[in-house]
Amino acid sequence: NKAPTYGSVCAGDGHTEALKVEYDPTAVSYDKLLEVFWSLHNPSQRTTTQYKSAIWPQTREQAEIAAAVIASKEEKSVLPIMTDVEEPKEFYKAEWYHQNYKLKNNIRWALFAAYFAVSYLPAGSVPYQTLLVQGLGAVLFASYLPQLLSVFEKFL
């Protein structure tokens, strides 16, 4: 079974982008984890398979807790909970350029801010200003290249 890639997932190969959570049940309960999970997204919205709301309980007990929490949430909501509860599946790590995605995006935002700040300063305000703007732009562009090129992998 070939591991999915960003390009194949975007093309609709049936895989879902997901996080693998490892936790200590003596420190936090499974139902508490589920509450955090549902607080971080809209579980009543149906989306594509790539971005669907889903959980893969690893034990029968976890599946029962998930069913009970969903039933409780649906009693209190006017909208149905669209979270899929599925049998455990093989977990595939994302490619290297999707690891630590939030951190990388924060760095990109800082690069964007620096790029625009230096670009809009009066000419000559910063030594080597033109070179700095070009360098920041090149680093930003290069940071997106793996993601941009991944959509073409099926043609290579």
Side-chain angles (χ1 to χ4, degrees):
N1 197 8
K2 185 181 174 204
T5 63
Y6 181 69
S8 70
V9 174
C10 290
D13 69 0
H15 288 91
T16 301
E17 291 187 22
L19 298 172
K20 183 177 184 178
V21 177
E22 295 178 1
Y23 74 103
D24 178 357
T26 63
V28 63
S29 66
Y30 188 70
D31 57 331
K32 188 58 81 177
L33 285 178
L34 292 176
E35 286 303 320
V36 171
F37 167 72
W38 279 304
S39 73
L40 296 174
H41 74 291
N42 180 354
S44 63
Q45 181 179 2
R46 177 61 72 192
T47 64
T48 62
T49 301
Q50 178 181 1
Y51 297 118
K52 73 179 180 178
S53 175
I55 55 174
W56 295 268
Q58 301 299 301
T59 66
R60 177 180 291 278
E61 180 186 13
Q62 288 178 350
E64 290 169 358
I65 292 169
V69 172
I70 288 173
S72 173
K73 289 185 81 54
E74 284 188 325
E75 285 177 11
K76 300 171 189 167
S77 176
V78 294
L79 299 172
I81 303 301
M82 304 300 286
T83 301
D84 292 339
V85 179
E86 300 179 3
E87 292 292 318
K89 297 178 181 177
E90 186 172 358
F91 181 82
Y92 300 96
K93 280 187 159 187
E95 292 97 341
W96 64 270
Y97 55 88
H98 274 281
Q99 299 295 325
N100 301 309
Y101 193 75
K102 184 171 173 48
L103 172 65
K104 289 176 185 171
N105 272 349
N106 287 341
I107 292 169
R108 284 183 183 136
W109 280 113
L111 285 168
F112 273 121
Y115 174 85
F116 286 111
V118 174
S119 295
Y120 287 102
L121 288 173
S125 298
V126 177
Y128 304 104
Q129 185 171 354
T130 302
L131 188 60
L132 183 57
V133 169
Q134 290 171 347
L136 287 167
V139 170
L140 272 168
F141 179 75
S143 76
Y144 283 105
L145 268 178
Q147 220 169 321
L148 294 170
L149 296 175
S150 70
V151 298
F152 297 107
E153 72 186 352
K154 66 181 175 184
F155 301 113
L156 301 176

